[in-house]
Amino acid sequence: MSDAKQVKLKPGDTIGILGGGQLGRMLAMAAARLGLRCQIFSPDPDSPAFDVVLNATCAEYADVEALELFAGDVDVITYEFENVPSAAAMVLDARRPVLPNRKILETTQDRLAEKDFVTRLGIGTAAYADVTSVASLREAIVRIGLPAVLKTRRFGYDGKGQAIIREGDDIAKVWTSLATKSAILEAFIPYEREISVIAARSATGQVECFDVTENEHRDHILKTSRAPAPIPDALAEEARSIAGKIASALDYVGVLAVEMFVLANGTGPKVLVNEIAPRVHNSGHWTLDGASVSQFEQHIRAIAGWPLAKPVRHGEVVTMTNLIGDEINDYEKWLSVPGATVHIYGKGAPRPGRKMGHVTEVRPPKGK
């Protein structure tokens, strides 16, 4: 029997969360409502998740003694970010169940491995190629064409670790500026819209997906999400099916997000998978106020060995707006907006590009 199927928490048990950002904070808050305790492990003494738990460990992920003590205090371990060091995950996995399984990180931490995995499932992605040098980058460009997007294989988010290459660009300069020896070149997709599916899967194989969400980015950072996405029902069903197929193929336990592009072509729109995020996701924040169960509670239910809920959207349309940088200073203007709920993450001083909070707006069904 797998570790996941052995986990059956009861109220009063403790979940360990690696990472102390806003996602860890909201996971801990969801767990508390279900009578479960959480302990946060984070190297950042200013972690906003520390504010909502009784016990926290502030130590580096390389601190084996701290990891072992942390594992001894909890019943199951999860994480709020996908770049958990593999060595830390191994130390913890030897002592407590780690969910989702740490081996999933080997696929999702590496963009090339992730694309290969999705392709093997028969799911469409942008054309891509492994790049390890200027010479191989030039060869990849010949095969894939321009424009194209060059990305580091690891440690990229919110537009970091990537560059668009266009005709006439200095290829050698672009390669040097990325400062890596392992990258992936992806064809630039002229998409109609960006969407994501937040899917939850239990250890018993139950899969529940939230409504497909349309996402809009500003300066490579998610600015707004709207549910449901304005796409045909058949396309929404295909997107949910893709997310479920990926979750099942990974034998995933917890919540994951699958980001996709919607293409408009001669035979009608279709979707291509862009990235997998093995965690709760920014584009699922609307579920906190706009659905009968949030993505955070679904994740807690899954790793606790509890049944998943069937999500029901509350409003006709639910919109989530990120408050980025100095926008958090205007939080008061949202407090009087009908149907709006303000979430402030409790971070320090605003910085450009830093997610400081978000607002959820629920538009009730017509006639109500």
Side-chain angles (χ1 to χ4, degrees):
M1 183 180 289
S2 70
D3 282 350
K5 290 179 179 173
Q6 291 175 7
V7 174
K8 187 70 173 178
L9 301 189
K10 60 186 183 303
D13 287 343
T14 302
I15 296 169
I17 301 174
L18 299 178
Q22 65 264 25
L23 299 181
R25 179 186 176 103
M26 289 183 273
L27 282 169
M29 292 167 74
R33 198 171 66 80
L34 298 175
L36 294 163
R37 298 185 173 96
C38 286
Q39 182 164 328
I40 304 293
F41 189 108
S42 173
D44 181 2
D46 296 322
S47 294
F50 287 172
D51 295 341
V52 299
V53 295
L54 184 62
N55 296 309
T57 301
C58 187
E60 296 297 327
Y61 292 115
D63 187 335
V64 174
E65 183 179 1
L67 289 169
E68 291 175 338
L69 289 171
F70 172 74
D73 286 341
V74 304
D75 299 292
V76 66
I77 296 166
T78 191
Y79 41 87
E80 61 130 35
F81 71 116
E82 57 265 57
N83 291 322
V84 175
S86 58
M90 285 181 66
V91 169
L92 294 170
D93 192 40
R95 291 157 179 81
R96 289 289 185 272
V98 175
L99 301 174
N101 190 294
R102 67 176 179 83
K103 292 183 179 178
I104 292 170
L105 298 175
E106 296 172 8
T107 298
T108 57
Q109 285 182 347
D110 185 327
R111 287 191 170 103
L112 181 63
E114 181 177 287
K115 281 284 195 298
D116 286 344
F117 167 76
V118 172
T119 301
R120 285 196 298 272
L121 294 178
I123 297 170
T125 72
Y128 63 95
D130 184 15
V131 176
T132 57
S133 65
V134 176
S136 64
L137 175 56
R138 294 187 192 280
E139 293 170 3
I141 289 172
V142 170
R143 294 202 309 275
I144 290 175
L146 294 177
V149 185
L150 183 66
K151 301 178 180 179
T152 57
R153 282 175 54 175
R154 294 176 177 270
F155 308 119
Y157 66 97
D158 289 347
K160 297 176 176 65
Q162 60 181 268
I164 297 177
I165 304 177
R166 297 180 173 87
E167 291 287 353
D169 284 350
D170 184 331
I171 304 303
K173 186 175 180 180
V174 172
W175 174 252
T176 301
S177 67
L178 211 59
T180 186
K181 293 182 179 179
S182 56
I184 181 172
L185 186 73
E186 299 177 7
F188 186 83
I189 302 298
Y191 55 85
E192 182 181 273
R193 65 183 80 244
E194 292 181 77
I195 61 171
S196 59
V197 176
I198 305 296
R201 184 178 182 275
S202 71
T204 61
Q206 179 188 4
V207 176
E208 298 291 346
C209 295
F210 290 91
D211 288 297
V212 180
T213 305
E214 178 182 24
N215 303 310
E216 294 182 11
H217 292 76
R218 181 189 298 171
D219 299 325
H220 301 290
I221 301 172
L222 181 65
K223 182 56 185 171
T224 59
S225 293
R226 296 181 185 87
I231 58 177
D233 289 346
L235 194 65
E237 183 55 39
E238 180 185 351
R240 287 192 292 267
S241 176
I242 286 171
K245 187 174 184 179
I246 288 171
S248 296
L250 288 169
D251 196 18
Y252 197 89
V253 176
V255 163
L256 83 166
V258 183
E259 300 176 43
M260 309 180 201
F261 296 125
V262 176
L263 309 186
N265 56 32
T267 58
K270 64 177 183 176
V271 295
L272 296 178
V273 168
N274 179 29
E275 289 186 350
I276 303 168
R279 53 175 171 79
V280 288
H281 193 258
N282 196 178
S283 68
H285 287 0
W286 67 268
T287 64
L288 277 165
D289 310 294
S292 56
V293 64
S294 74
Q295 64 166 341
F296 302 98
E297 181 176 328
Q298 286 285 63
H299 186 81
I300 296 298
R301 286 178 179 229
I303 65 171
W306 294 10
L308 301 179
K310 289 194 174 295
V312 177
R313 191 178 71 253
H314 287 324
E316 181 183 3
V317 177
V318 183
T319 303
M320 187 282 302
T321 303
N322 272 329
L323 301 179
I324 300 169
D326 289 340
E327 291 174 344
I328 193 65
N329 296 330
D330 295 327
Y331 70 90
E332 282 194 51
K333 77 177 185 181
W334 291 99
L335 296 177
S336 56
V337 175
T341 305
V342 180
H343 296 262
I344 299 173
Y345 300 152
K347 293 183 175 180
R351 295 198 305 264
R354 192 181 197 194
K355 296 168 186 169
M356 302 299 295
H358 74 268
V359 177
T360 312
E361 297 175 86
V362 179
R363 186 199 305 167
K366 291 177 181 176
K368 291 192 177 181

